[in-house]
């Protein structure tokens, strides 16, 4: 372990130091950032009201829109001179969100990731090929700083040049690959094409993240590269990749609880949910100097588990993200997530994993239709074959979400894509009726 | 100044500590790297033969091909475990060149660049928008580490997203832009299109490099952005950007002589040239742990000046790179560089800066023809107009290189481009006759 004393602390000790850090953070934010001063004053809540960890629930949430409203530097708690690095999330809708770091924040980031890379079984001997992009987005930098801290060798190749990536994997004796699941799957395909003998590679671990994934995707990655793949979770607003990292048990991501306080809330009511309940992850920076973010609604859906992990660590584990609270739809009173549909579709061959969920309310009852693109071969097959596949899909989906759906098999590439090639997953027509 | 004691040392002191560092470096390389052991033994030269700085001339040169032959890690002087970062130059022809860094090497890189940014008038208050790409190539990382060391704010935006770059320049109050001259000119054009009021920007300095440039390009950049632009020189083999950086005098780049020992040689004979003579720059690492590079032929053409700079610094100044030794052609006994032709062409309007130099020897005398693409409007103009432009071009070129040339004005886009859109600058047909 990187730091056993911290990573295996008793839960009481963790909660105790979290309370102290939280109190300090709230006080600093209230004193230094006019946005918080105003927001908390309006809500009639003050730093001295935080007497227990539970009292955090009295504080209003922070949303992406709040951060946008503070663009560019309105959320900084220190003089601009103390900020040594700035990142930003993409600004496709409205102003981007800016994230600022002091030297101490960058050091913490490195520390958190070094600890995580150690959980993945890596040390100073390892060669880490980092295919995440480096830029305004935090992608590549987290692992970069963490590898430096660990003393491993970082190969900052960033995304693209896939054939060269394969060559370097072989020639450098890369022991750890960092990628997004989709790029990893592509990299694996190219490596196969190039005739790579995966048994001869020196891979010991894969770190993957920055995208939603399914168990099937991890299986495929682990089988292809013949090594274990560990999930890395994070977001630019709080720091970047590394908020949570999986250990050898591969049974959820340990959140770095000395730096982040996690809550799970009901995305509709905002009420904090108990352990083991699925809801929206809310995160609070506990140590951040440059830009303390308090009760940030991540929109990511997960569950938290506080029991001691098989690896011996006591830091809370979050399950992999299974959806976004803004993607969730309630149909016939049941919460449905696109990820559930996706999971069911992955079990069926002869179809492409391109789909759209259409919700209507013809009368008083909700109806849900799943449009799925058939494969070229299925689509040119006879109708009986197609009926069989449709029934299979409907069965798997019902099994997954608990309600009956109508399935439509449509021509390959017939579901409209936006300019970025993405399909609008959910079309909810109920408000229009 | 970042470190006046070092930067303003007397020349004797500089040469004295350089000799000590050189002796140590040669000894380490000879002891630790089989490539050097063999090469120096074959040349019958041994570490103890380096008794004066001048003795460096006894050591054989190191070429890009030598480095390629050591691919991937054959040039490392330390255990792989000590290497924390690896970069690489592109491998378009043959194997790429790998460059390895220990923690101390990365710290040195940051130190060198922090000193350089200080020469450019920057400090911890500044906001540096770094448009260099981050990846295997060293581009973005040098300024990144230097900015951290300086305590300035780095905005690691990397190349592209030009409209967003413009927005950030305005919104963040960027005080320093880092770019290649060609991207800088493009960025300036986009900023103008977006109606940016350059007087309202907070720019204090521009750092540009990684490409050859002309005085006219710098003028254009400085006029557009309404601020001073400083040249940054470096190469991945030796470290990356920062080997030389310009000071406020803008009268050559100060080489970080505590880390690099520069020589200028005649590219044909390999003989070391005295101060103020133009030739090929040869560089030696004086402090590098991970991969000491000794007498590397850069192929870059420059002159060195050892007189104390107007800024008070004593570190040697190199002139901006005016060509590559592998681009140089000798015509009628005179050395001609494409950059000289380019300089002449930039003085003429009505033509595109796309040209090709064709050298022939019909009998015993060399002949040189410059093919230049006319602008669309000139090309559709009457012949008399074109004759006038041709004469003008021939005059400027003769003025620049001292010999008579034949100029051919050809149709726009008629000179063949390779798959990367580049024109082969020099076609030497003399060996074929
Ligand atoms: Zn664990
Ligand atoms: Zn100077």
């Amino acid at each position: 372990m990187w730091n056993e004393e911290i990573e295996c602390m008793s839960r009481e000790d963790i909660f105790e130091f979290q309370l102290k850090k939280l109190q300090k953070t709230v006080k600093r934010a209230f004193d230094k950032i006019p946005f918080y001063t105003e927001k908390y004053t309006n809500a009639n809540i003050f730093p001295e009201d935080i007497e227990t960890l539970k009292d955090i629930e009295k504080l209003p949430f922070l949303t992406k829109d709040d951060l946008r409203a503070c663009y560019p530097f309105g959320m900084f708690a220190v003089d601009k001179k103390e900020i040594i690095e700035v990142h930003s999330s993409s600004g496709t809708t409205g102003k981007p969100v800016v994230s600022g770091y002091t030297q101490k924040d960058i050091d913490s980031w490195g520390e958190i990731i070094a600890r995580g890379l150690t959980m993945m079984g890596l040390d100073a001997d390892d060669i880490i090929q980092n295919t995440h992009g480096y830029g305004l987005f935090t992608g590549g930098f987290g692992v970069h700083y963490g590898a430096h801290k660990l003393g491993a060798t970082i190969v900052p190749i960033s995304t693209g040049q896939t054939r060269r990536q394969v060559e370097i994997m072989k020639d450098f004796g890369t022991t750890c690959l960092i990628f997004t699941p989709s790029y990893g799957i592509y990299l694996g395909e190219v490596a196969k094409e190039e005739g790579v003998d995966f048994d001869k590679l020196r891979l010991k671990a894969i770190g993957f993240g920055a995208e939603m994934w399914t168990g099937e995707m991890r299986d495929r990655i682990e089988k292809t590269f013949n090594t274990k793949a560990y999930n890395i979770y994070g977001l630019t607003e709080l720091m970047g990749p590394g908020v949570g990292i999986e250990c050898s048990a591969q049974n959820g991501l340990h959140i770095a609880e000395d730096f982040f306080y996690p809550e799970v809330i009901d995305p509709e009511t905002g009420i904090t949910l108990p352990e083991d309940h699925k809801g929206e992850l809310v995160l609070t920076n506990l140590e951040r100097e440059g830009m303390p973010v308090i009760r940030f609604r991540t929109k990511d859906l997960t569950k938290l588990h506080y029991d001691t992990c098989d690896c011996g660590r006591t830091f809370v584990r979050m399950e992999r993200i299974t959806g976004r609270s803004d993607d969730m739809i309630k149909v016939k009173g049941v919460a449905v997530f696109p990820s559930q549909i996706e999971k069911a579709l992955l079990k069926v061959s002869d179809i492409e994993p391109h789909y759209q969920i259409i919700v209507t309310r013809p009368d008083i009852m909700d109806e849900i239709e799943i449009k799925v693109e058939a494969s070229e071969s299925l689509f040119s097959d006879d109708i009986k074959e197609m009926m069989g596949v449709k029934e299979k899909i409907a069965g798997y989906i019902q099994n997954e979400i608990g309600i009956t759906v109508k399935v439509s098999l449509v021509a390959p590439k017939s579901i409209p894509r936006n300019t970025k090639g993405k399909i609008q997953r959910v079309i909810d027509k109920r408000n229009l009726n």
Side-chain angles (χ1 to χ4, degrees), chain A:
Chain A
M1 285 194 201
W2 179 255
N3 188 339
E4 194 168 334
E5 205 182 322
I6 294 279
E7 294 172 72
C8 298
M9 240 174 168
S10 75
R11 286 302 323 169
E12 290 112 69
D13 288 349
I14 295 173
F15 288 135
E16 199 187 303
F17 82 46
Q18 282 185 319
L19 175 60
K20 275 185 202 140
K21 289 177 188 218
L22 178 67
Q23 288 168 328
K24 222 171 121 185
T25 299
V26 172
K27 173 125 183 58
R28 270 193 74 230
F30 185 86
D31 289 348
K32 305 264 183 182
I33 307 169
F35 172 87
Y36 283 113
T37 322
E38 194 184 325
K39 186 166 184 136
Y40 290 177
T41 305
N42 288 345
N44 200 31
I45 173 92
F46 299 92
E48 52 275 21
D49 298 330
I50 307 298
E51 292 174 351
T52 67
L53 272 180
K54 186 92 187 135
D55 289 334
I56 194 174
E57 294 170 24
K58 297 177 184 165
L59 297 170
F61 294 116
L62 194 70
T63 65
K64 208 158 175 139
D65 284 337
D66 290 330
L67 295 179
R68 280 200 186 104
C70 294
Y71 177 87
F73 300 150
M75 283 296 287
F76 290 179
V78 296
D79 189 272
K80 210 190 64 213
K81 195 172 179 157
E82 303 296 314
I83 297 289
I84 67 154
E85 188 163 331
V86 164
H87 285 278
S88 167
S89 67
S90 69
T92 38
T93 56
K95 286 282 173 196
V97 169
V98 169
S99 203
Y101 307 74
T102 64
Q103 181 64 58
K104 184 171 160 257
D105 295 334
I106 293 287
D107 290 344
S108 301
W109 197 3
E111 174 78 14
I112 291 164
I113 299 262
R115 199 158 71 188
L117 295 171
T118 309
M119 289 201 270
M120 289 163 53
L122 304 177
D123 60 32
D125 268 332
D126 285 290
I127 299 181
I128 301 172
Q129 186 170 337
N130 187 8
T131 81
H132 282 336
Y134 291 72
L136 263 196
F137 195 60
T138 43
F141 286 100
V143 168
H144 194 87
Y145 295 140
H148 274 190
K149 194 81 158 195
L150 184 62
T153 306
I154 185 82
V155 182
I157 187 161
S158 82
T159 319
Q161 295 189 283
T162 307
R163 258 153 250 281
R164 185 144 184 228
Q165 302 260 11
V166 172
E167 220 173 275
I168 280 180
M169 243 157 73
K170 290 190 295 180
D171 295 348
F172 287 15
T174 299
T175 61
C176 174
L177 283 168
I178 305 290
F179 52 54
T180 60
S182 54
Y183 186 65
I185 286 171
Y186 177 67
L187 179 62
E189 278 165 12
V190 172
K192 271 183 206 164
E193 267 171 42
E194 301 274 307
V196 166
D197 181 350
F198 288 89
D199 287 337
K200 283 198 182 147
L201 297 180
R202 303 222 192 122
L203 289 175
K204 281 167 60 180
I206 284 164
F208 69 102
E211 269 177 11
M212 252 184 270
W213 53 284
T214 60
E216 287 82 358
M217 282 171 93
R218 159 139 63 182
D219 287 348
R220 189 163 157 192
I221 288 167
E222 294 193 333
K223 253 181 221 148
T224 302
F225 290 97
N226 200 9
T227 192
K228 287 218 175 190
Y230 302 95
N231 194 196
I232 298 176
Y233 171 78
L235 54 186
T236 300
E237 289 84 354
L238 272 288
M239 173 180 81
V243 171
I245 302 185
E246 264 186 326
C247 66
S248 55
Q250 288 185 308
N251 183 27
L253 300 89
H254 288 286
I255 293 178
E257 282 190 277
D258 41 350
F259 292 92
F260 308 99
Y261 182 75
E263 300 167 85
V264 161
I265 63 162
D266 180 317
E268 284 182 88
T269 63
I271 290 169
T272 303
L273 299 173
E275 175 172 16
D276 300 337
H277 280 65
K278 182 166 175 172
E280 181 181 331
L281 182 66
V282 168
L283 287 170
T284 295
N285 282 127
L286 292 177
E287 278 280 2
R288 193 151 174 216
E289 280 185 347
M291 189 175 121
V293 163
I294 299 170
R295 295 204 96 200
F296 180 70
R297 289 191 63 156
T298 66
K299 304 269 180 187
D300 289 325
L301 298 166
T302 185
K303 290 180 194 172
L304 296 177
H305 302 290
Y306 285 89
D307 53 315
T308 301
C309 180
D310 290 346
C311 73
R313 290 181 183 83
T314 49
F315 278 179
V316 65
R317 281 164 299 131
M318 60 181 270
E319 291 189 4
R320 72 176 169 80
I321 305 303
T322 49
R324 299 265 309 160
S325 62
D326 38 11
D327 278 350
M328 190 191 75
I329 32 172
K330 279 228 168 166
V331 184
K332 296 178 185 171
V334 175
V336 174
F337 297 100
S339 57
Q340 295 174 294
I341 307 296
E342 206 161 319
K343 193 176 167 193
L345 295 178
L346 277 166
K347 294 181 182 161
V348 185
S349 53
D350 275 333
I351 55 162
E352 301 292 330
H354 304 308
Y355 65 94
Q356 193 165 52
I357 303 164
I358 297 156
V359 190
T360 52
R361 188 176 286 166
D363 188 15
I364 51 159
M365 281 287 280
D366 294 335
E367 285 189 8
I368 181 164
E369 178 193 357
I370 316 292
K371 268 193 194 173
V372 185
E373 293 183 359
S375 68
E376 291 284 352
S377 63
L378 176 66
F379 200 68
S380 56
D381 222 330
D382 78 57
I383 192 87
K384 215 179 123 195
E385 195 70 36
M386 285 183 66
M387 291 303 292
V389 172
K390 270 177 64 166
E391 267 174 48
K392 224 195 261 179
I393 295 173
Y396 281 130
I397 293 178
Q398 182 167 14
N399 201 37
E400 190 66 42
I401 66 174
I403 51 177
T404 319
V405 302
K406 182 189 164 200
V407 172
S408 311
L409 269 179
V410 298
K413 303 201 171 100
S414 67
I415 302 176
R417 269 73 165 170
N418 70 10
T419 51
K420 284 184 170 177
K422 289 204 171 165
I423 292 171
Q424 190 186 339
R425 283 287 169 239
V426 179
I427 297 186
D428 194 334
K429 295 185 173 169
R430 285 176 296 187
N431 296 329
L432 303 174
N433 294 332

